[in-house]
Amino acid sequence: MLEMTREEFEELVAEALDRIPPELTRLMDNVAVFVEDEPPAADPELLGLYEGTPLTERGEWYAGVLPDRITVYRGPTLRMCDTREDVVAETEVTVVHEIAHHFGIDDARLHALGYG
C-alpha cells in the first residue's frame, strides 16, 4: 500500500477543492468537506460520501439545518493507487464526484461524464 500521511492527503483534498472553478464554488451553499481515514465498515472500498440535501432539492423549508457533509476517505484511496500521481488524480475525481452530488447530479450521470 502506498504511504501518505493524513496531513499530505488533506492537502491533496484541499488542492482538488482549489481546482474547482470559482463560478461553481460560489454556488456551493452550506457544505463542509472532511477527510477520514476509513469509510463505514459496511462499505470498505468507498472513496467519498456526500450526506445532505442537494441544492436541487432545497426549498422554502431549507433553513437552520446543519451543513451538508462531504467526506473523502484516505485508506481506500491509498490502497487502490500505485503512485502519488494516481492518488492526486483519484482524489480530484472523488472531490468532483461528491461536489456534483451537492449540485444534484446522480451517479449515472457522473459515470457517463467519467467521474464514476
Side-chain angles (χ1 to χ4, degrees):
M1 181 170 98
L2 187 65
E3 294 292 326
M4 181 178 289
T5 67
R6 182 170 177 139
E7 292 76 22
E8 289 173 305
F9 190 79
E10 287 173 348
E11 183 62 31
L12 291 181
V13 171
E15 290 170 3
L17 287 166
D18 288 345
R19 285 190 289 278
I20 302 296
E23 56 271 14
L24 290 179
T25 57
R26 280 193 295 272
L27 298 173
M28 292 175 64
D29 182 46
N30 200 31
V31 61
V33 179
F34 299 91
V35 170
E36 297 289 341
D37 288 328
E38 294 296 333
D43 200 354
E45 296 181 13
L46 187 66
L47 302 179
L49 181 64
Y50 169 75
E51 299 170 287
T53 304
L55 295 175
T56 55
E57 295 178 17
R58 295 179 185 180
E60 295 174 6
W61 58 269
Y62 189 84
V65 299
L66 292 173
D68 291 4
R69 181 181 177 100
I70 292 173
T71 307
V72 181
Y73 298 106
R74 182 174 72 101
T77 304
L78 295 180
R79 286 191 291 276
M80 74 174 289
C81 294
D82 295 323
T83 67
R84 180 178 175 81
E85 292 76 24
D86 292 343
V87 175
V88 170
E90 191 57 54
T91 300
E92 186 166 325
V93 167
T94 301
V95 167
V96 169
H97 183 108
E98 301 312 329
I99 288 173
H101 286 318
H102 176 69
F103 283 99
I105 301 171
D106 66 16
D107 280 331
R109 181 68 178 135
L110 286 168
H111 285 273
L113 293 171
Y115 289 99

